[in-house]
Amino acid sequence: MLHQSEKLTLRQTKSKSQAEVYLADDELLSDSNLGRLFVVIEIFSREKKTKDLIRQIITNIEADYYSSPTSDPESTLETVCQNFNTYLPDLINKPKTWLSKFNILVGAVKEDEIFLTSFGRFKTALVRQNKFITIIPEDKEEKKFDGKLLSQLISGKVEPYDVYLFSNPTLFDYFSREKIKKTISSLNPDQSTEYFKNLLLENVTPVSFAAVVFKFDNQKETVDNSTQKEYLKDFYGTEESMNNLSDMER
């Protein structure tokens, strides 16, 4: 099944956290038979070396995943998780209490299947037949570290017109679930992330935003262009307002 995907990252200078989204490029997909890997990380720390830590984690996960001798995403992702749990303590070189600042979500999409594992606080949403479904239940209480950050792997079948959103919580602090649902279902991923980004650029609160959107279909184009334009004009008010927001971002 064909899919479109796009990531959203927006980091304010004075944010209490540093966040990053990784989305495997098409070249890696064509060179392997493992589908598209994605990672969302947010660490609540202002230390300069946190950015290097995030970069190293993503590099390790990508290398472990796409160097796999098998073409099975599920078993490969399990191996990635095992390796991650082994090397992370030495990589961060921090006491266990530091892990309360650490949030990571790792997943893979191949054809009509999706695989996912996470640690920390994330929003995991599926829009199917106009229903907004939470994939991973959100724990009210903070999980205790049991020695393994990435331990539980979930998988599911993708249906045509499914839309998936994986995000840190702040996106849902600024937009209602209904608005998020309408946006990601009415627009293609690159347009929906651009739309959110344009509005969030007006935000002066020092927080980070990190998300990735997947949209599935049996055809290359999932939304009619006229539908997209009318939807955008409905939110922005006029086409001139749409252009002004684009100018502001540039």
Side-chain angles (χ1 to χ4, degrees):
M1 187 180 300
L2 297 173
H3 74 266
Q4 298 178 59
S5 57
E6 190 58 74
K7 59 183 180 180
L8 164 67
T9 52
L10 189 59
R11 298 176 292 272
Q12 300 285 9
T13 305
K14 296 182 179 180
S15 173
K16 294 180 181 179
S17 72
Q18 299 187 51
E20 188 59 74
V21 179
Y22 164 83
L23 192 60
D25 58 34
D26 293 338
E27 185 177 349
L28 285 172
L29 271 69
S30 61
D31 291 343
S32 72
N33 195 26
L34 286 167
R36 193 181 301 276
L37 176 71
F38 61 96
V39 182
V40 185
I41 300 181
E42 182 174 27
I43 300 177
F44 284 84
S45 171
R46 292 182 178 177
E47 294 183 50
K48 291 183 178 179
K49 60 183 179 180
T50 300
K51 185 179 292 186
D52 294 331
L53 172 63
I54 290 174
R55 200 174 290 126
Q56 186 61 57
I57 290 172
I58 290 175
T59 299
N60 290 356
I61 291 175
E62 180 193 68
D64 283 346
Y65 189 80
Y66 285 110
S67 64
S68 172
T70 177
S71 60
D72 178 29
E74 186 169 17
S75 61
T76 300
L77 204 55
E78 287 175 348
T79 301
V80 168
C81 293
Q82 292 170 4
N83 293 343
F84 173 84
N85 292 330
T86 300
Y87 67 67
L88 186 68
D90 292 333
L91 192 62
I92 61 175
N93 193 25
K94 298 280 187 180
K96 291 181 180 180
T97 53
W98 184 86
L99 293 174
S100 62
K101 304 177 181 180
F102 188 84
N103 303 275
I104 184 169
L105 181 146
V106 184
V109 170
K110 182 182 178 183
E111 298 173 354
D112 64 345
E113 289 186 294
I114 189 165
F115 308 90
L116 190 68
T117 183
S118 68
F119 176 85
R121 297 177 64 240
F122 282 100
K123 298 287 185 178
T124 55
L126 161 64
V127 178
R128 175 178 290 172
Q129 297 179 356
N130 204 35
K131 293 181 180 179
F132 191 98
I133 305 165
T134 299
I135 302 173
I136 300 178
E138 297 172 36
D139 295 324
K140 294 182 179 179
E141 296 182 1
E142 188 175 308
K143 289 183 179 180
K144 293 183 178 179
F145 177 60
D146 60 358
K148 296 180 180 180
L149 269 73
L150 300 179
S151 56
Q152 186 176 4
L153 185 66
I154 65 171
S155 62
K157 285 286 185 180
V158 175
E159 295 183 7
Y161 310 111
D162 277 355
V163 187
Y164 289 83
L165 171 67
F166 306 105
S167 168
N168 68 336
T170 50
L171 189 67
F172 286 74
D173 293 337
Y174 285 80
F175 300 104
S176 67
R177 283 174 42 143
E178 184 63 23
K179 189 166 186 178
I180 290 174
K181 183 185 78 170
K182 284 184 177 181
T183 303
I184 63 177
S185 58
S186 299
L187 303 175
N188 288 332
D190 58 337
Q191 295 172 320
S192 60
T193 53
E194 190 70 13
Y195 166 74
F196 287 133
K197 189 174 182 179
N198 279 333
L199 294 183
L200 293 171
L201 284 170
E202 300 177 358
N203 170 51
V204 295
T205 307
V207 293
S208 297
F209 298 90
V212 60
V213 180
F214 287 89
K215 195 162 193 173
F216 293 83
D217 196 4
N218 292 322
Q219 301 176 2
K220 290 185 178 180
E221 295 296 330
T222 60
V223 183
D224 180 71
N225 287 335
S226 61
T227 303
Q228 295 168 344
K229 191 169 184 179
E230 287 303 314
Y231 176 81
L232 290 171
K233 287 177 71 174
D234 181 50
F235 267 112
Y236 286 125
T238 65
E239 190 166 351
E240 183 180 358
S241 298
M242 292 164 55
N243 294 334
N244 288 341
L245 280 173
S246 297
D247 291 340
M248 179 182 68
E249 182 185 8
R250 285 195 292 269

